[in-house]
Amino acid sequence: MDLRAVPRQLSAWFSRRPAWFSDVLLALFVTVVQVQSVADYAAVLPEPAARPVSDFGHSGYALLIASGVAVVARRRWPVLVFTITALASLIYFGLGYPQRLSCLGLFVAMYTVAAYGDGRRSLLIAGAGTTALSVGWLIPAADIEPRVALGWVFLRIGATVISTTLGESVRSRRVIAADALERAELAERARDEEARARVDAERLRIAREVHDTVAHAIAIINVQSGVTAHVLHKRPEQAREALRTIEQTSSRALREMRAILGVLREGDEREPHPGLDQIHELTGKARDAGLDIAIEQTSPVTPLPSAVGSAAYRIVQESITNVIRHVGPTRVTVVLEPSDDALRIRVIDEGSRAPSHVPARTGSSPTAGRGIVGMRERCRLLGGELDAKPRPGGGFEVTARLPLVPLGSRS
């Protein structure tokens, strides 16, 4: 058995223990302290006019044990436990038994009423209980001699008020924390809904662009192919002209489709047809911005489709842009791993370094904004997937996988 694991196991067990377990321990502690505090009262700081606890058939011990054991049910029935401990205290004091810590169970019950109540109602119960207890303690103490013994009465009253105040403070903090958690959850849901709405809007815009680009070209190609089939043997010159029109129309449609797949956001002023062959130019600009950037690239097994190359370029570009905006000068590694069926991309940064002449932007995070949402949508359009997360040792990592086979052509 590994003794070093024992503290961790005990800590894990105590963190998972049921609520009643701690209440049982608390009730046992309260009972022992109450009984022990009055058992040898005559030997330590005797109280004038105090009756031995053994009088009346040891009823004093019975009252102390009853008020201590009742603490077990304090969370489930806080008002009932408070009533039991309050009655036990009044009877105990009325019989003239020594005080000491005989009211510890009452203080715990008073704290519980305020801490686990609903605010106004629990405070009313605590206030009415404190008033009744004060009257019940002060009336029998009217003829106590010497008068200095009244200090025990005022001590109990003050401790009761303090217990109520402490319980209300804990309840208020719990309510504030719950409200803050609820607001955070609402804000998180609102951000998720906003992100989903942006993705849906982007998909709808792409669908409109694809329809507008392709529909007209397909209609022209359909008409011209019909003309070609009809006049191929009778008028070959007209057939050649129709084929030339088909070639021009399809070429233009392909260029526009590449632009749509490469540029997903409206108003983007970057090059419309970027690809992996422009990665070195991109990293050169990143070096000018202060990044220590390295590229690790294996030779492609098969030629990459233009849509995949364009999406890969945009993912690398957006990842580097996020590093420049949110981290500042640091080391970045771009890994390109083409295979037979997919292109895998990894962009890794090492996190913030010491301040330099190129400051990092503050007040935002790499996961904020539309950057990662846009990169993930690019991958999904091609049937791929993207993961972006902080690294355990510091920095951030973006990993993407882009299939080389078009999504619609898979069986």
Side-chain angles (χ1 to χ4, degrees):
M1 179 178 180
D2 187 2
L3 296 179
R4 292 175 297 179
V6 173
R8 292 195 298 270
Q9 294 173 354
L10 290 176
S11 176
W13 185 86
F14 275 103
S15 64
R16 296 192 301 267
R17 70 186 187 279
W20 59 263
F21 180 79
S22 59
D23 287 338
V24 170
L25 293 181
L26 179 61
L28 180 63
F29 171 78
V30 169
T31 302
V32 171
V33 169
Q34 289 186 153
V35 172
Q36 184 63 33
S37 67
V38 300
D40 299 324
Y41 77 97
V44 182
L45 193 61
E47 296 179 24
R51 185 188 303 276
V53 188
S54 58
D55 285 2
F56 301 112
H58 299 280
S59 59
Y61 287 121
L63 291 171
L64 295 177
I65 293 173
S67 63
V69 172
V71 171
V72 172
R74 70 187 186 96
R75 298 177 195 264
R76 188 169 185 179
W77 299 297
V79 178
L80 177 61
V81 172
F82 169 63
T83 303
I84 292 174
T85 54
L87 290 175
S89 176
L90 289 174
I91 296 173
Y92 184 91
F93 184 74
L95 293 177
Y97 291 127
Q99 301 308 304
R100 297 295 190 273
L101 298 177
S102 60
C103 291
L104 185 58
L106 172 64
F107 301 151
V108 173
M110 182 67 79
Y111 162 83
T112 304
V113 168
Y116 294 92
D118 56 1
R120 181 178 180 181
R121 178 174 173 271
S122 59
L123 287 179
L124 288 175
I125 293 174
T130 301
T131 302
L133 286 169
S134 300
V135 173
W137 287 331
L138 289 171
I139 290 177
D143 56 351
I144 284 183
E145 293 294 342
R147 304 306 294 172
V148 71
L150 282 174
W152 288 98
V153 178
F154 291 110
L155 176 64
R156 287 197 299 275
I157 296 175
T160 304
V161 174
I162 291 174
S163 300
T164 303
T165 304
L166 181 60
E168 175 60 20
S169 175
V170 171
R171 188 198 68 82
S172 300
R173 290 177 180 272
R174 188 184 298 115
V175 170
I176 293 172
D179 290 343
L181 179 60
E182 183 179 1
R183 287 195 299 270
E185 291 175 349
L186 290 175
E188 183 67 23
R189 286 197 295 269
R191 285 194 296 269
D192 291 342
E193 292 173 358
E194 182 182 357
R196 285 194 295 269
R198 288 199 301 265
V199 170
D200 292 341
E202 190 69 12
R203 286 176 174 171
L204 181 60
R205 186 188 70 80
I206 293 171
R208 285 198 300 264
E209 289 188 8
V210 170
H211 177 272
D212 294 341
T213 301
V214 175
H216 180 67
I218 294 299
I220 294 177
I221 291 173
N222 181 65
V223 171
Q224 294 296 332
S225 60
V227 171
T228 302
H230 183 69
V231 302
L232 181 60
H233 300 292
K234 298 179 181 178
R235 286 172 284 182
E237 290 297 328
Q238 186 176 352
R240 279 194 292 270
E241 184 63 28
L243 289 174
R244 192 175 298 111
T245 302
I246 291 174
E247 179 186 9
Q248 294 172 352
T249 303
S250 61
S251 178
R252 183 170 60 251
L254 287 174
R255 288 197 302 270
E256 292 177 359
M257 282 296 297
R258 291 192 189 101
I260 292 173
L261 292 176
V263 184
L264 296 181
R265 290 194 292 248
E266 296 179 358
D268 199 321
E269 299 178 356
R270 292 172 288 186
E271 291 295 328
H273 311 294
L276 287 182
D277 55 342
Q278 300 181 26
I279 288 291
H280 292 281
E281 179 183 351
L282 175 64
T283 55
K285 295 179 181 179
R287 290 190 184 95
D288 294 339
L291 296 184
D292 179 11
I293 191 165
I295 300 178
E296 299 177 5
Q297 180 178 4
T298 58
S299 300
V301 178
T302 58
L304 297 178
S306 60
V308 174
S310 178
Y313 176 90
R314 293 303 188 191
I315 290 172
V316 174
Q317 183 183 49
E318 188 64 44
S319 301
I320 292 175
T321 301
N322 281 340
V323 174
I324 295 174
R325 292 178 56 196
H326 303 294
V327 180
T330 187
R331 179 170 179 80
V332 179
T333 303
V334 179
V335 182
L336 303 174
E337 301 174 344
S339 62
D340 290 328
D341 59 348
L343 170 64
R344 190 166 183 264
I345 307 166
R346 296 174 62 207
V347 182
I348 308 166
D349 72 83
E350 296 181 353
S352 298
R353 291 180 173 178
S356 66
H357 64 281
V358 182
R361 291 185 54 178
T362 58
S364 58
S365 65
T367 57
R370 299 180 57 187
I372 291 180
V373 174
M375 289 190 291
R376 186 170 285 117
E377 190 62 22
R378 291 179 196 275
C379 289
R380 289 176 180 172
L381 284 172
L382 298 177
E385 54 191 14
L386 182 137
D387 185 30
K389 60 186 178 182
R391 303 178 66 208
F396 203 81
E397 179 174 356
V398 176
T399 305
R401 181 183 178 276
L402 300 174
L404 303 184
V405 181
L407 184 62
S409 62
R410 300 181 196 175
S411 57

